[in-house]
Amino acid sequence: MRLGRVHRDLTAAAPGLTVTDAAASWGFVHLGRFAGTYRRRFGESPSETLSRSSRHR
């Protein structure tokens, strides 16, 4: 559930949002583990999702 919420936040990212900020806001403290789990679930890294965000550009 938390991974889905981070994914949603990264997809609709406000300017200035970082992967670290998004992950921490949902309680992820071990960023390496978070990134690996995120990649397995969504097929891309959290930073790739963030870079595709229309608002982040």
Side-chain angles (χ1 to χ4, degrees):
M1 186 182 244
R2 291 185 303 149
L3 277 174
R5 290 180 175 159
V6 173
H7 180 73
R8 181 196 62 206
D9 289 354
L10 293 175
T11 300
L17 181 71
T18 66
V19 171
T20 300
D21 292 339
S25 73
W26 290 105
F28 292 98
V29 293
H30 191 284
L31 295 179
R33 189 176 303 142
F34 159 74
T37 303
Y38 186 98
R39 181 181 288 282
R40 284 189 296 279
R41 171 96 183 266
F42 298 106
E44 65 182 6
S45 71
S47 60
E48 289 171 320
T49 302
L50 182 60
S51 70
R52 288 188 305 100
S53 170
S54 60
R55 289 190 205 171
H56 192 263
R57 294 178 192 198

